[in-house]
Amino acid sequence: MGLFDKKIEVKGVNYFGKPKLPPGQTPTVKFPVLTYGEIPSVTKDVWHFVAWGLVEKERDWTWDEFMKLPQTKLRADFHCVTHWSRFDDEWEGVMFRDLVQHLKLKPEAEFVLQHAYGGYTTNLPLRWMMDEDVMFAHTINGKPLDPEHGGPMRVFTPRRYAWKGAKWIRGIEFLAKDKPGFWEVNGYSNSADPWREERFW
Ligand SMILES: Nc1nc2c(c(=O)[nH]1)N[C@H]1C(S)=C(S)[C@@H](COP(=O)(O)O)O[C@H]1N2
Ligand SMILES: [Mo]
């Protein structure tokens, strides 16, 4: 059986009213690993999360502190720009919106750059990061995220192609001006909307 499992039928609309299967995507039950470069080894005891840039006060969280933030479960779909989509996984973690409650952003803050262990970055406007379903995820279908999928913690952005969520997230930087991340500099779309097939610039 190949990557694309044509036997899955995906119909209807998702929870934000878009076709469940975006154009040009094929359903799979597999969970391919897409990583540029090495998989960094990040354990919970060294994991550390920092919020910096246009904030009144920089803040950081250890793993245990982060786990004390409100935890949310979200059933959502995952769309990779290389044409595969996974459906209805149960993701669990801290919503971006809930984390931001613990920060005082400067009024000029309009963009967010995600920084990962290993150097990967990806960018989104703050207002899109504030979508109700953008999360820092540590658990999928009741199990801790595997290291190759970004464990112990990754970002998940269900309304964007999956490269907009950094695996092994280590911090977020608030900026006044947009700053393209790793794939965005290398020709991928800045906005990455799967329903508009925004794959490349
Ligand atoms: N740190 C980091 N995050 C990353 C990547 C990466 O190479 N490094 N790849 C991105 C891409 S292109 C995709 S499609 C998804 C893939 O997630 P997966 O490997 O769990 O399927 O992670 C995104 N986040
Ligand atoms: Mo990707």
Side-chain angles (χ1 to χ4, degrees):
M1 203 167 70
L3 168 62
F4 298 121
D5 188 344
K6 297 255 164 49
K7 280 180 294 209
I8 313 175
E9 220 190 316
V10 178
K11 289 195 268 193
V13 293
N14 66 17
Y15 62 84
F16 47 94
K18 294 284 174 70
K20 187 95 172 143
L21 185 65
Q25 295 297 107
T26 307
T28 180
V29 290
K30 297 189 167 58
F31 197 176
V33 175
L34 278 117
T35 302
Y36 186 86
E38 300 290 300
I39 295 174
S41 133
V42 185
T43 53
K44 291 175 185 174
D45 53 312
V46 300
W47 186 84
H48 197 83
F49 184 87
V50 188
W52 77 94
L54 295 173
V55 286
E56 296 296 345
K57 199 170 161 290
E58 226 177 86
R59 287 229 34 196
D60 63 271
W61 289 264
T62 63
W63 182 268
D64 289 344
E65 289 164 347
F66 207 85
M67 290 304 117
K68 287 187 186 121
L69 296 170
Q71 304 290 318
T72 301
K73 285 182 183 164
L74 170 73
R75 197 167 289 280
D77 308 330
F78 188 97
H79 308 294
C80 175
V81 70
T82 63
H83 299 276
W84 56 269
S85 295
R86 261 182 78 86
F87 293 89
D88 301 316
D89 287 308
E90 186 193 72
W91 295 80
E92 188 173 349
V94 175
M95 306 314 289
F96 179 86
R97 279 187 171 195
D98 291 336
L99 181 102
V100 163
Q101 296 303 310
H102 297 262
L103 298 168
K104 196 161 185 300
L105 303 185
K106 294 195 175 168
E108 317 88 86
E110 283 191 39
F111 295 91
V112 178
L113 190 62
Q114 301 169 31
H115 293 262
Y117 288 94
Y120 185 89
T121 53
T122 187
N123 59 305
L124 279 175
L126 174 61
R127 67 177 194 286
W128 292 357
M129 289 296 282
M130 293 295 277
D131 280 344
E132 62 183 4
D133 51 6
V134 172
M135 81 191 306
F136 299 98
H138 51 73
T139 298
I140 183 170
N141 302 324
K143 288 192 217 117
L145 266 182
D146 287 334
E148 60 267 33
H149 289 301
M153 188 81 72
R154 77 176 298 163
V155 179
F156 177 40
T157 58
R159 295 171 200 234
R160 309 280 145 198
Y161 285 123
W163 88 79
K164 288 293 184 181
K167 303 194 277 188
W168 316 290
I169 187 74
R170 70 169 176 85
I172 45 174
E173 182 182 5
F174 292 88
L175 299 161
K177 286 206 182 120
D178 200 11
K179 187 170 175 188
F182 175 77
W183 280 121
E184 292 81 5
V185 166
N186 285 286
Y188 279 40
S189 160
N190 207 36
S191 38
D193 181 338
W195 291 271
R196 300 174 66 176
E197 285 205 69
E198 295 170 343
R199 298 176 194 271
F200 305 103
W201 280 105

